[in-house]
């Protein structure tokens, strides 16, 4: 492709505007919409993989936009009433098609690269864990925008109607929506009896990915390969439609996208556990004595080590040989909706847990004691308040010998009600002999760690009646 011709194309076509619209839309979502991509350890500026996955998630909206803008570019010759004139020139059709396609591809890829660069600058300042495992996620995202735009251009060239761009944009949006709902999800029942939906192989044909639930999760290599094959087929079909001049060649142009889909579905994994997988390097533990965090959070180890060791000492003083001996960030990613599994020997915690995330200074010691006494039995991916919070507050008070309010609940009225209920249970527990107190604490912990029965009921003596 002649560089001078490409430069002229960039100056006179809508390609630069397409990149600007995509970038502006992405930034509007990230900075103006209050959503999950701005919170906790999975924030788009917190970790490299989270940044790559969140920017890919935005393709739910950006990809249909790219398809529509590509179609608008593809109508240019028809609006100028030049198709017959251009077809009579000796220049090959593929050369003529490569110029607008290349210009659009460059601007859209550059817009996505700027978006990733903006996130990368912030991630670099927020984490000590640097790796390149996120790069394939972003490269496939850029390829998807290019492929969608080229497909839009080719389709508009084959169907040169005014309504083609909006129809294609809406069709692409419906496609991404279906891939994330009915067609792209499979409903399953968990051990808790709560029905959940999991992504299936078909959903991976969508350029977008599901929202980031854990900073330790990434896409597997087979997903990258399968999606690349599929998107190359989409781009090839779009370019073939750009150069096709007869109904037969336009029909033949559909072969790459069909072949790409067939091959991709053979390569893409069918098991959800092989789609979104644990990043083993990110989950590797870094320790300061008995206190450990994952590699992604090693910057927090210094601030956690002191409160963690203090929490272990206090737990040992209250529970003796039954006390946990280590504090560790939870480095597993169990299926959504499953029942949590806890260890009596280790205080497992998550930096996104309500209590831990809200703790400051000495409160962090209280939060770790709380997780060591009543870790929580809400299904993975769900949050719950009520009896467990009351039992947790009383249990921490029993360890410390003084009832205190725990961090975690943003709703002040709800927090006050928890404290009132906890004080009533605390008074009943404090009035009992020490042996009976220990018996109820043991019963509470048995219910809390097995997730069978009610921890508050056991603490109140209901389990022994």
């Amino acid at each position: 492709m002649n560089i001078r011709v490409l430069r002229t194309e960039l100056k006179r076509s809508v390609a630069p505007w397409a990149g600007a619209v995509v970038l502006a839309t992405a930034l509007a979502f990230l900075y103006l919409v209050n959503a999950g991509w701005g919170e906790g350890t999975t924030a788009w500026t917190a970790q490299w993989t989270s940044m790559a996955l969140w920017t890919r998630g935005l393709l739910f909206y950006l990809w249909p936009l790219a398809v529509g803008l590509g179609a608008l570019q593809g109508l240019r010759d028809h609006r100028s009433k030049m198709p017959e004139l251009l077809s009579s020139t000796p220049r090959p059709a593929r050369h003529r098609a490569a110029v607008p396609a290349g210009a659009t591809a460059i601007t859209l890829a550059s817009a996505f690269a700027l978006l990733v660069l903006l996130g990368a600058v912030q991630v670099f300042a927020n984490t000590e864990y640097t790796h390149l495992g996120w790069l394939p996620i972003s490269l496939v995202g850029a390829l998807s925008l290019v492929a969608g735009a080229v497909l839009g251009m080719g389709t508009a060239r084959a169907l040169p109607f005014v309504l083609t761009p909006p129809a294609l944009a809406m069709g692409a949006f419906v496609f991404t929506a279906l891939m994330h709902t009915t067609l792209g999800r499979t409903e399953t029942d968990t051990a808790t009896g709560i029905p959940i939906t999991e992504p299936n192989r078909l959903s991976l044909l969508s350029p977008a990915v599901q929202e980031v639930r854990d900073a330790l999760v990434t896409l597997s290599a087979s997903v990258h390969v399968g999606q690349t094959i599929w998107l190359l087929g989409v781009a090839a079909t779009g370019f073939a439609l750009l150069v096709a001049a007869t109904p037969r060649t336009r029909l033949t142009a559909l072969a790459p996208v069909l072949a790409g889909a067939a091959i991709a579905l053979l390569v893409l994994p069918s098991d959800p556990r092989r789609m979104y997988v644990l990043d083993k390097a990110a989950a590797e533990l870094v320790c300061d004595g008995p206190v450990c965090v994952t590699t992604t959070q090693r910057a927090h180890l210094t601030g956690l080590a002191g409160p963690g060791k203090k929490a272990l000492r206090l737990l040992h003083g209250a529970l003796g040989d039954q006390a946990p001996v280590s504090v560790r960030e939870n480095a597993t990613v169990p299926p959504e909706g499953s029942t949590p599994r806890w260890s009596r020997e280790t205080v497992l915690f998550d930096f996104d847990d309500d209590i831990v995330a809200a703790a400051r200074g000495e409160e962090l010691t209280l939060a770790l004691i709380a997780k060591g006494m009543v870790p929580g039995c809400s299904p993975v991916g769900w949050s719950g308040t009520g009896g467990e919070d009351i039992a947790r507050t009383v249990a921490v008070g029993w360890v410390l010998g003084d009832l205190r309010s725990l961090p975690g609940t943003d709703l002040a009225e709800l927090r006050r009600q928890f404290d009132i209920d906890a004080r009533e249970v605390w008074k009943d527990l404090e009035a009992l002999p020490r042996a009976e107190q220990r018996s109820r604490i043991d019963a509470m912990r048995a219910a809390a760690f097995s997730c069978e029965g009610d921890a508050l009921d056991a603490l109140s003596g209901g389990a022994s009646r």
Side-chain angles (χ1 to χ4, degrees), residues 192-391:
T192 59
I194 300 175
I196 63 169
T197 60
E198 296 180 303
N200 58 30
R201 181 186 291 155
L202 197 61
S203 71
L204 297 177
L205 295 181
S206 171
V209 297
Q210 66 182 19
E211 66 179 34
V212 186
R213 186 168 62 88
D214 196 296
L216 302 178
V217 170
T218 187
L219 289 172
S220 64
S222 57
V223 171
H224 299 320
V225 174
Q227 289 180 335
T228 299
I229 293 173
W230 155 244
L231 292 171
L232 288 175
V234 171
T237 288
F239 191 79
L241 287 173
L242 271 175
V243 301
T246 65
R248 176 175 293 182
T249 54
R250 288 168 183 162
L251 188 62
T252 305
L254 299 177
V257 70
L258 296 177
I263 297 173
L265 290 175
L266 292 176
V267 174
L268 293 170
S270 58
D271 186 350
R273 290 170 296 184
R274 293 175 53 226
M275 300 175 187
Y276 294 87
V277 297
L278 178 69
D279 187 338
K280 295 181 179 179
E284 187 175 346
L285 295 177
V286 179
C287 300
D288 182 344
V291 181
C292 302
V293 298
T294 61
T295 302
T296 59
Q297 302 298 331
R298 62 188 177 196
H300 293 90
L301 182 59
T302 302
L304 183 71
K309 294 173 183 178
K310 182 177 180 181
L312 290 176
R313 288 196 302 270
L314 292 170
L315 285 168
H316 185 268
L319 299 174
D321 294 339
Q322 294 186 23
V325 295
S326 62
V327 173
R328 191 178 77 226
E329 181 185 357
N330 197 346
T332 62
V333 184
E336 186 173 359
S338 61
T339 301
R341 295 184 178 182
W342 305 110
S343 168
R344 287 177 175 267
E345 297 181 356
T346 302
V347 178
L348 292 174
F349 73 95
D350 192 309
F351 281 105
D352 285 330
D353 183 271
D354 289 342
I355 298 177
V356 177
R360 298 293 183 271
E362 281 297 314
E363 290 180 338
L364 190 53
T365 298
L366 303 184
L368 294 174
I369 293 174
K371 297 300 292 183
M373 296 295 286
V374 184
C377 289
S378 296
V380 176
W382 296 63
S383 61
T385 58
E388 283 187 346
D389 293 272
I390 298 170

Side-chain angles (χ1 to χ4, degrees), residues 382-463:
W382 296 63
S383 61
T385 58
E388 283 187 346
D389 293 272
I390 298 170
R392 193 176 286 125
T393 301
V394 175
V396 173
W398 183 82
V399 171
L400 299 176
D402 179 30
L403 190 65
R404 301 184 189 180
S405 180
L406 296 180
T409 302
D410 292 333
L411 301 176
E413 186 62 33
L414 186 59
R415 182 73 265 171
R416 282 194 296 269
Q417 186 60 50
F418 285 161
D419 290 343
I420 291 171
D421 294 340
R423 187 159 296 280
E424 293 179 1
V425 178
W426 167 255
K427 288 179 180 179
D428 293 339
L429 181 67
E430 196 177 30
L432 298 174
R434 186 66 181 180
E436 179 63 20
Q437 291 180 24
R438 179 59 187 267
S439 176
R440 291 197 180 186
I441 289 292
D442 289 343
M444 178 204 68
R445 296 187 75 226
F449 281 87
S450 66
C451 290
E452 296 178 0
D454 185 88
L456 178 59
D457 187 50
L459 184 62
S460 303

